Protein backbone atom coordinates (compact mmCIF):
# COMPACT_ATOMS: atom_id res chain seq x y z
CA UNK A 1 0.00 0.00 0.00
CA UNK A 2 1.55 3.27 -1.17
CA UNK A 3 0.65 6.51 0.64
CA UNK A 4 1.18 10.05 -0.61
CA UNK A 5 1.39 12.05 2.62
CA UNK A 6 1.44 15.82 3.10
CA UNK A 7 2.75 17.61 6.19
CA UNK A 8 4.03 21.06 7.11
CA UNK A 9 6.81 20.06 9.53
CA UNK A 10 9.34 17.27 9.86
CA UNK A 11 12.20 16.91 12.36
CA UNK A 12 14.59 18.43 13.10
CA UNK A 13 12.77 21.55 11.83
CA UNK A 14 9.69 21.66 14.02
CA UNK A 15 7.80 24.26 16.05
CA UNK A 16 5.75 21.97 18.26
CA UNK A 17 3.76 18.78 18.53
CA UNK A 18 2.69 18.57 14.87
CA UNK A 19 6.18 17.76 13.61
CA UNK A 20 6.78 15.35 16.47
CA UNK A 21 3.53 13.52 15.73
CA UNK A 22 4.21 13.32 11.99
CA UNK A 23 7.61 11.78 12.66
CA UNK A 24 6.25 9.24 15.15
CA UNK A 25 3.46 8.22 12.77
CA UNK A 26 5.56 7.99 9.61
CA UNK A 27 8.39 6.14 11.34
CA UNK A 28 6.02 3.50 12.72
CA UNK A 29 4.01 3.21 9.50
CA UNK A 30 7.22 2.71 7.52
CA UNK A 31 8.11 -0.21 9.77
CA UNK A 32 4.88 -1.86 8.65
CA UNK A 33 5.67 -4.24 5.81
CA UNK A 34 2.85 -3.28 3.45
CA UNK A 35 3.03 0.54 3.81
CA UNK A 36 5.33 2.77 1.73
CA UNK A 37 5.21 6.52 2.36
CA UNK A 38 6.16 9.48 0.22
CA UNK A 39 6.09 12.43 2.63
CA UNK A 40 5.85 15.89 1.06
CA UNK A 41 6.74 19.05 3.02
CA UNK A 42 7.00 22.66 1.77
CA UNK A 43 10.71 22.98 2.45
CA UNK A 44 13.28 20.20 2.74
CA UNK A 45 16.61 21.24 4.29
CA UNK A 46 18.55 18.07 3.56
CA UNK A 47 19.33 17.12 7.16
CA UNK A 48 16.06 15.32 7.90
CA UNK A 49 16.22 11.70 9.19
CA UNK A 50 17.00 9.25 6.40
CA UNK A 51 15.50 5.84 5.80
CA UNK A 52 12.07 6.01 7.41
CA UNK A 53 10.24 7.71 4.53
CA UNK A 54 10.84 9.06 1.07
CA UNK A 55 10.91 12.78 1.85
CA UNK A 56 10.09 15.30 -0.88
CA UNK A 57 10.49 19.06 -0.53
CA UNK A 58 8.06 21.14 -2.59
CA UNK A 59 10.85 23.73 -2.79
CA UNK A 60 12.84 21.26 -4.90
CA UNK A 61 10.24 20.78 -7.63
CA UNK A 62 11.48 22.20 -10.93
CA UNK A 63 8.78 24.52 -12.28
CA UNK A 64 10.02 24.40 -15.87
CA UNK A 65 10.24 20.62 -16.07
CA UNK A 66 6.90 20.24 -14.32
CA UNK A 67 5.35 22.85 -16.66
CA UNK A 68 3.77 24.77 -13.78
CA UNK A 69 3.03 28.25 -15.09
CA UNK A 70 3.07 31.46 -13.11
CA UNK A 71 -0.68 32.00 -13.37
CA UNK A 72 -1.24 28.74 -11.47
CA UNK A 73 0.59 30.25 -8.51
CA UNK A 74 -1.53 33.35 -8.28
CA UNK A 75 -3.57 33.46 -5.12
CA UNK A 76 -7.23 32.59 -5.87
CA UNK A 77 -9.05 35.81 -6.76
CA UNK A 78 -11.99 35.05 -4.47
CA UNK A 79 -9.65 35.37 -1.48
CA UNK A 80 -8.09 38.74 -2.35
CA UNK A 81 -10.58 40.68 -0.24
CA UNK A 82 -9.41 38.89 2.89
CA UNK A 83 -5.94 37.86 1.84
CA UNK A 84 -3.82 37.47 4.95
CA UNK A 85 -0.81 35.73 6.38
CA UNK A 86 -2.62 33.70 8.99
CA UNK A 87 -0.50 31.60 11.29
CA UNK A 88 -2.02 28.73 13.24
CA UNK A 89 -0.09 29.87 16.29
CA UNK A 90 -0.50 33.64 16.46
CA UNK A 91 -2.63 35.91 18.58
CA UNK A 92 -4.81 38.65 17.05
CA UNK A 93 -2.26 41.21 18.28
CA UNK A 94 0.66 39.54 16.51
CA UNK A 95 -1.47 38.95 13.43
CA UNK A 96 -2.21 42.68 13.05
CA UNK A 97 1.43 43.55 13.71
CA UNK A 98 2.63 41.30 10.86
CA UNK A 99 -0.03 42.60 8.48
CA UNK A 100 0.62 46.34 8.76
CA UNK A 101 3.28 46.60 6.05
CA UNK A 102 2.36 43.54 4.02
CA UNK A 103 2.15 44.16 0.24
CA UNK A 104 -1.21 43.26 -1.22
CA UNK A 105 -1.78 40.80 -4.03
CA UNK A 106 1.67 39.28 -3.84
CA UNK A 107 2.38 36.33 -6.14
CA UNK A 108 5.40 34.16 -6.70
CA UNK A 109 7.60 35.35 -9.54
CA UNK A 110 8.70 32.28 -11.46
CA UNK A 111 10.31 34.09 -14.37
CA UNK A 112 13.58 34.48 -12.49
CA UNK A 113 13.75 31.04 -10.90
CA UNK A 114 12.94 27.41 -11.52
CA UNK A 115 11.67 26.59 -8.01
CA UNK A 116 9.20 28.05 -5.53
CA UNK A 117 11.03 29.49 -2.48
CA UNK A 118 8.93 28.03 0.34
CA UNK A 119 9.82 29.19 3.84
CA UNK A 120 8.13 26.22 5.50
CA UNK A 121 7.28 28.54 8.40
CA UNK A 122 4.16 30.25 9.75
CA UNK A 123 4.93 33.71 8.45
CA UNK A 124 2.98 36.55 6.86
CA UNK A 125 2.82 34.77 3.46
CA UNK A 126 1.40 31.56 4.90
CA UNK A 127 -1.78 31.56 2.82
CA UNK A 128 0.20 32.08 -0.37
CA UNK A 129 2.46 29.17 0.56
CA UNK A 130 -0.52 26.94 1.32
CA UNK A 131 -1.90 27.69 -2.15
CA UNK A 132 1.48 27.10 -3.83
CA UNK A 133 1.83 23.83 -1.91
CA UNK A 134 -1.51 22.66 -3.33
CA UNK A 135 -0.29 23.40 -6.87
CA UNK A 136 2.85 21.32 -6.27
CA UNK A 137 0.68 18.59 -4.72
CA UNK A 138 -1.44 18.39 -7.85
CA UNK A 139 1.68 17.95 -9.98
CA UNK A 140 3.20 15.32 -7.67
CA UNK A 141 -0.10 13.41 -7.65
CA UNK A 142 0.09 13.20 -11.45
CA UNK A 143 3.65 11.84 -11.32
CA UNK A 144 3.52 9.50 -8.32
CA UNK A 145 2.20 5.95 -7.97
CA UNK A 146 0.09 5.70 -4.82
CA UNK A 147 -3.10 4.18 -3.41
CA UNK A 148 -4.18 6.78 -0.85
CA UNK A 149 -3.58 10.39 0.24
CA UNK A 150 -2.98 11.40 3.87
CA UNK A 151 -2.94 15.13 4.79
CA UNK A 152 -1.86 16.39 8.24
CA UNK A 153 -3.66 19.41 9.69
CA UNK A 154 -5.37 22.31 7.92
CA UNK A 155 -2.28 23.74 6.23
CA UNK A 156 -2.10 20.68 3.95
CA UNK A 157 -5.82 20.10 3.40
CA UNK A 158 -5.84 22.11 0.11
CA UNK A 159 -2.88 19.98 -1.05
CA UNK A 160 -4.77 16.82 -0.18
CA UNK A 161 -7.87 18.02 -2.04
CA UNK A 162 -5.79 18.93 -5.11
CA UNK A 163 -4.11 15.53 -5.11
CA UNK A 164 -7.49 13.81 -4.82
CA UNK A 165 -8.96 15.78 -7.73
CA UNK A 166 -5.97 14.94 -9.90
CA UNK A 167 -5.76 11.23 -9.06
CA UNK A 168 -9.23 10.19 -7.94
CA UNK A 169 -7.59 8.38 -5.01
CA UNK A 170 -9.20 8.43 -1.53
CA UNK A 171 -8.23 11.17 0.91
CA UNK A 172 -7.59 10.75 4.64
CA UNK A 173 -7.15 13.94 6.66
CA UNK A 174 -5.57 13.98 10.11
CA UNK A 175 -6.95 16.58 12.52
CA UNK A 176 -4.23 17.35 15.06
CA UNK A 177 -6.00 20.56 16.17
CA UNK A 178 -8.86 22.78 15.08
CA UNK A 179 -9.28 26.52 14.82
CA UNK A 180 -11.54 26.29 17.90
CA UNK A 181 -8.54 25.01 19.90
CA UNK A 182 -6.02 27.49 18.57
CA UNK A 183 -8.18 30.63 18.67
CA UNK A 184 -9.97 30.01 21.96
CA UNK A 185 -13.30 30.38 20.06
CA UNK A 186 -12.20 33.59 18.27
CA UNK A 187 -12.43 31.63 15.05
CA UNK A 188 -10.85 32.96 11.89
CA UNK A 189 -13.39 32.34 9.10
CA UNK A 190 -10.74 31.74 6.43
CA UNK A 191 -9.03 29.00 8.44
CA UNK A 192 -12.41 27.52 9.40
CA UNK A 193 -13.38 27.35 5.71
CA UNK A 194 -10.16 25.54 4.78
CA UNK A 195 -10.65 23.06 7.62
CA UNK A 196 -14.28 22.41 6.73
CA UNK A 197 -13.52 22.00 3.01
CA UNK A 198 -10.87 19.42 3.89
CA UNK A 199 -13.26 17.54 6.15
CA UNK A 200 -16.03 17.52 3.55
CA UNK A 201 -13.66 16.35 0.81
CA UNK A 202 -12.09 13.61 2.94
CA UNK A 203 -13.14 9.99 2.68
CA UNK A 204 -11.97 9.38 6.26
CA UNK A 205 -10.98 11.67 9.12
CA UNK A 206 -8.48 10.79 11.86
CA UNK A 207 -8.92 12.73 15.11
CA UNK A 208 -6.22 12.67 17.79
CA UNK A 209 -8.74 12.39 20.64
CA UNK A 210 -12.42 11.88 21.37
CA UNK A 211 -12.49 15.53 22.38
CA UNK A 212 -11.27 16.59 18.92
CA UNK A 213 -13.68 14.16 17.24
CA UNK A 214 -16.64 15.81 18.98
CA UNK A 215 -15.46 19.27 17.89
CA UNK A 216 -15.25 18.05 14.28
CA UNK A 217 -18.73 16.53 14.42
CA UNK A 218 -20.45 19.36 16.28
CA UNK A 219 -18.67 22.49 15.03
CA UNK A 220 -18.00 21.50 11.42
CA UNK A 221 -21.21 19.46 10.86
CA UNK A 222 -19.34 16.32 9.77
CA UNK A 223 -20.87 12.85 9.88
CA UNK A 224 -19.77 10.80 12.89
CA UNK A 225 -19.34 7.75 10.64
CA UNK A 226 -16.54 9.55 8.83
CA UNK A 227 -14.52 10.32 11.97
CA UNK A 228 -12.32 7.92 13.90
CA UNK A 229 -10.26 8.61 17.01
CA UNK A 230 -6.63 7.47 16.90
CA UNK A 231 -4.63 8.67 19.89
CA UNK A 232 -1.00 9.70 19.55
CA UNK A 233 1.90 7.81 21.06
CA UNK A 234 5.25 8.79 22.52
CA UNK A 235 8.78 8.23 21.27
CA UNK A 236 10.79 6.33 23.85
CA UNK A 237 13.76 8.42 24.88
CA UNK A 238 17.18 6.85 24.34
CA UNK A 239 19.07 9.91 25.56
CA UNK A 240 21.87 9.27 28.04
CA UNK A 241 20.72 11.26 31.07
CA UNK A 242 23.50 9.99 33.33
CA UNK A 243 25.56 13.13 32.66
CA UNK A 244 22.63 15.49 33.26
CA UNK A 245 22.37 17.25 36.64
CA UNK A 246 19.59 15.78 38.75
CA UNK A 247 18.89 18.69 41.06
CA UNK A 248 19.07 22.46 41.15
CA UNK A 249 21.43 24.08 43.64
CA UNK A 250 20.56 23.71 47.34
CA UNK A 251 18.04 20.96 46.46
CA UNK A 252 15.56 23.52 45.17
CA UNK A 253 12.48 22.13 43.43
CA UNK A 254 11.61 22.84 39.80
CA UNK A 255 8.09 23.00 38.37
CA UNK A 256 8.07 23.00 34.56
CA UNK A 257 5.82 24.23 31.76
CA UNK A 258 6.89 22.99 28.31
CA UNK A 259 5.08 24.11 25.17
CA UNK A 260 4.13 27.05 23.00
CA UNK A 261 3.59 30.17 25.05
CA UNK A 262 0.22 31.07 23.59
CA UNK A 263 -3.27 31.47 25.01
CA UNK A 264 -4.28 27.91 24.08
CA UNK A 265 -1.65 26.49 26.44
CA UNK A 266 -2.76 28.51 29.48
CA UNK A 267 0.53 30.20 30.52
CA UNK A 268 -1.34 32.78 32.60
CA UNK A 269 -2.67 29.98 34.84
CA UNK A 270 0.87 28.69 35.33
CA UNK A 271 1.90 32.16 36.54
CA UNK A 272 -1.06 32.40 38.93
CA UNK A 273 -0.25 28.93 40.23
CA UNK A 274 3.36 29.98 40.87
CA UNK A 275 2.21 33.00 42.88
CA UNK A 276 0.06 30.78 45.08
CA UNK A 277 2.82 28.23 45.68
CA UNK A 278 5.46 30.84 46.49
CA UNK A 279 3.24 32.16 49.27
CA UNK A 280 3.59 28.77 50.98
CA UNK A 281 7.01 27.51 49.84
CA UNK A 282 10.24 29.38 49.17
CA UNK A 283 12.60 26.74 47.79
CA UNK A 284 10.74 26.34 44.47
CA UNK A 285 11.53 27.59 40.98
CA UNK A 286 9.28 27.67 37.92
CA UNK A 287 10.46 27.15 34.36
CA UNK A 288 8.62 28.12 31.17
CA UNK A 289 10.23 26.36 28.20
CA UNK A 290 9.03 27.34 24.77
CA UNK A 291 8.26 30.29 22.57
CA UNK A 292 5.14 31.87 21.12
CA UNK A 293 3.16 35.02 20.57
CA UNK A 294 2.70 35.60 24.33
CA UNK A 295 6.36 35.16 25.21
CA UNK A 296 7.13 38.82 25.95
CA UNK A 297 3.75 39.43 27.54
CA UNK A 298 4.29 36.46 29.85
CA UNK A 299 7.67 37.80 30.98
CA UNK A 300 5.97 41.10 31.82
CA UNK A 301 3.24 39.31 33.79
CA UNK A 302 5.86 37.45 35.81
CA UNK A 303 7.65 40.71 36.57
CA UNK A 304 4.39 42.42 37.57
CA UNK A 305 3.64 39.51 39.90
CA UNK A 306 6.97 40.12 41.69
CA UNK A 307 8.14 36.52 41.25
CA UNK A 308 10.75 37.04 38.51
CA UNK A 309 13.56 35.85 40.81
CA UNK A 310 11.84 32.44 40.90
CA UNK A 311 11.14 32.14 37.18
CA UNK A 312 13.26 30.74 34.36
CA UNK A 313 12.59 31.26 30.63
CA UNK A 314 14.53 28.99 28.28
CA UNK A 315 13.04 29.76 24.86
CA UNK A 316 12.33 26.91 22.42
CA UNK A 317 13.96 23.58 23.30
CA UNK A 318 14.29 20.34 21.35
CA UNK A 319 15.98 16.95 21.53
CA UNK A 320 18.45 16.52 24.36
CA UNK A 321 17.63 19.99 25.66
CA UNK A 322 14.12 18.77 26.52
CA UNK A 323 15.54 15.63 28.13
CA UNK A 324 17.93 17.69 30.23
CA UNK A 325 15.17 19.99 31.45
CA UNK A 326 12.91 17.07 32.36
CA UNK A 327 15.76 15.38 34.24
CA UNK A 328 15.90 18.51 36.42
CA UNK A 329 12.15 18.82 36.89
CA UNK A 330 10.26 17.70 39.98
CA UNK A 331 6.80 18.36 38.51
CA UNK A 332 5.49 18.89 34.99
CA UNK A 333 2.32 20.91 34.43
CA UNK A 334 0.20 21.29 31.28
CA UNK A 335 -2.59 23.80 32.09
CA UNK A 336 -3.94 23.95 28.53
CA UNK A 337 -7.29 25.61 27.92
CA UNK A 338 -7.93 23.36 24.93
CA UNK A 339 -5.43 20.62 24.07
CA UNK A 340 -6.37 18.23 21.24
CA UNK A 341 -3.91 15.66 22.58
CA UNK A 342 -0.66 16.74 24.27
CA UNK A 343 2.48 14.62 23.86
CA UNK A 344 4.62 16.52 26.40
CA UNK A 345 3.03 14.90 29.50
CA UNK A 346 3.88 11.47 28.09
CA UNK A 347 7.48 12.59 27.60
CA UNK A 348 7.55 13.83 31.19
CA UNK A 349 6.17 10.51 32.44
CA UNK A 350 8.90 8.73 30.47
CA UNK A 351 11.48 10.84 32.29
CA UNK A 352 10.13 10.00 35.77
CA UNK A 353 8.43 13.35 36.34
CA UNK A 354 5.04 13.51 38.13
CA UNK A 355 2.56 15.29 35.88
CA UNK A 356 -0.45 17.53 36.34
CA UNK A 357 -2.65 18.05 33.26
CA UNK A 358 -5.85 19.87 32.46
CA UNK A 359 -9.03 17.88 32.05
CA UNK A 360 -9.46 19.79 28.78
CA UNK A 361 -6.79 17.69 27.05
CA UNK A 362 -6.96 14.67 24.79
CA UNK A 363 -4.12 12.89 26.58
CA UNK A 364 -6.30 12.77 29.71
CA UNK A 365 -8.35 10.13 27.85
CA UNK A 366 -5.46 7.65 27.80
CA UNK A 367 -3.60 8.16 31.10
CA UNK A 368 -4.64 7.43 34.66
CA UNK A 369 -1.53 8.08 36.71
CA UNK A 370 -1.50 11.85 36.45
CA UNK A 371 -3.36 14.48 38.42
CA UNK A 372 -6.15 15.98 36.31
CA UNK A 373 -7.66 19.37 37.09
CA UNK A 374 -9.69 21.98 35.22
CA UNK A 375 -7.32 24.51 33.64
CA UNK A 376 -8.98 27.39 35.49
CA UNK A 377 -8.84 25.76 38.95
CA UNK A 378 -5.47 27.11 40.06
CA UNK A 379 -6.22 26.35 43.71
CA UNK A 380 -6.67 22.65 42.97
CA UNK A 381 -3.51 22.78 40.85
CA UNK A 382 -1.61 24.48 43.67
CA UNK A 383 -2.82 21.87 46.18
CA UNK A 384 -1.53 19.12 43.87
CA UNK A 385 1.87 20.79 43.49
CA UNK A 386 2.16 21.33 47.24
CA UNK A 387 1.26 17.70 47.95
CA UNK A 388 3.77 16.31 45.42
CA UNK A 389 6.58 18.48 46.79
CA UNK A 390 5.71 17.83 50.43
CA UNK A 391 5.06 14.08 50.39
CA UNK A 392 7.87 12.21 48.58
CA UNK A 393 6.02 8.88 48.80
CA UNK A 394 3.17 10.31 46.69
CA UNK A 395 5.61 11.53 44.08
CA UNK A 396 7.46 8.19 43.98
CA UNK A 397 4.22 6.26 43.54
CA UNK A 398 3.13 8.49 40.64
CA UNK A 399 6.54 8.17 38.99
CA UNK A 400 6.50 4.37 39.16
CA UNK A 401 3.03 3.82 37.78
CA UNK A 402 3.21 6.65 35.25
CA UNK A 403 6.42 5.25 33.75
CA UNK A 404 4.76 1.86 33.33
CA UNK A 405 1.65 3.41 31.83
CA UNK A 406 3.43 5.69 29.36
CA UNK A 407 5.57 2.79 28.16
CA UNK A 408 2.41 1.16 26.81
CA UNK A 409 1.35 4.19 24.74
CA UNK A 410 3.28 3.44 21.57
CA UNK A 411 3.39 4.93 18.09
CA UNK A 412 3.31 1.34 16.81
CA UNK A 413 -0.25 0.98 18.12
CA UNK A 414 -1.18 4.28 16.46
CA UNK A 415 0.29 3.01 13.17
CA UNK A 416 -1.68 -0.24 13.37
CA UNK A 417 -4.95 1.64 13.76
CA UNK A 418 -4.09 4.00 10.90
CA UNK A 419 -3.15 1.08 8.64
CA UNK A 420 -6.49 -0.57 9.37
CA UNK A 421 -8.27 2.69 8.54
CA UNK A 422 -6.29 2.93 5.28
CA UNK A 423 -7.54 -0.50 4.19
CA UNK A 424 -11.13 0.32 5.12
CA UNK A 425 -10.96 3.61 3.21
CA UNK A 426 -9.52 2.02 0.06
CA UNK A 427 -12.17 -0.73 0.11
CA UNK A 428 -15.05 1.69 0.63
Amino acid sequence: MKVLMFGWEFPPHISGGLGTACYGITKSLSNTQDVQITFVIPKAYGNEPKGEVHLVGANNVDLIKSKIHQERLQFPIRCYAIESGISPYTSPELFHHTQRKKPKGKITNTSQQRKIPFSGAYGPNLMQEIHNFSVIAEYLASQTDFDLIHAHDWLTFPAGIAAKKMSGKPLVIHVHATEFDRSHNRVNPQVFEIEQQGMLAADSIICVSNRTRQIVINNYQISADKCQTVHNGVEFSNADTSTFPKHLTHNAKLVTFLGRITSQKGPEYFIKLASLILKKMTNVYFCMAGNGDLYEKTICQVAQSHIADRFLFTGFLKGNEVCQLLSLSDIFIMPSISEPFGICPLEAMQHHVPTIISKQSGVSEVVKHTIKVDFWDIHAMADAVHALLTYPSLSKMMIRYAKQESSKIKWEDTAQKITKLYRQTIRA
Side-chain angles (χ1 to χ4, degrees), residues 21-39:
C22 286
Y23 179 66
I25 290 167
T26 53
K27 182 179 179 181
S28 296
L29 282 174
S30 297
N31 290 332
T32 305
Q33 283 187 338
D34 60 344
V35 176
Q36 299 177 31
I37 297 175
T38 298
F39 194 93

Side-chain angles (χ1 to χ4, degrees), residues 8 84-88 121-131 154-155:
W8 206 258
S84 58
I86 300 170
S87 166
Y122 302 101
N125 293 322
L126 180 62
M127 284 306 202
Q128 178 70 59
E129 292 203 358
I130 289 172
H131 171 69
W154 72 277
L155 305 112

Side-chain angles (χ1 to χ4, degrees), residues 4-9 18 22 39-42 88 122 126-127 129-131 133-135 137-138 149-164 171-176 194-195 197-199:
L4 180 61
M5 189 176 288
F6 296 98
W8 206 258
E9 298 181 8
L18 177 60
C22 286
F39 194 93
V40 186
I41 53 176
Y122 302 101
L126 180 62
M127 284 306 202
E129 292 203 358
I130 289 172
H131 171 69
F133 193 52
S134 71
V135 175
E138 181 182 334
I149 306 153
H150 187 160
H152 290 276
D153 234 24
W154 72 277
L155 305 112
T156 71
F157 290 175
I161 294 171
K164 179 179 179 177
L171 170 64
V172 174
I173 67 164
H174 207 131
V175 182
H176 294 267
I194 292 174
E195 289 180 325
Q197 286 178 347
M199 295 172 188

Side-chain angles (χ1 to χ4, degrees), residues 348-361:
M349 293 162 73
Q350 282 284 304
H351 284 83
H352 307 94
V353 185
T355 63
I356 301 170
I357 61 176
S358 73
K359 293 179 180 178
Q360 291 73 28
S361 63

Side-chain angles (χ1 to χ4, degrees), residues 44 96 118 157-158 192 203 207 224 236 253 259 261 299 305 355 357:
H96 288 298
F118 287 93
F157 290 175
F192 175 86
D203 296 277
C207 303
F236 296 121
K253 303 299 182 181
I261 302 179
I299 292 176
S305 300
T355 63
I357 61 176

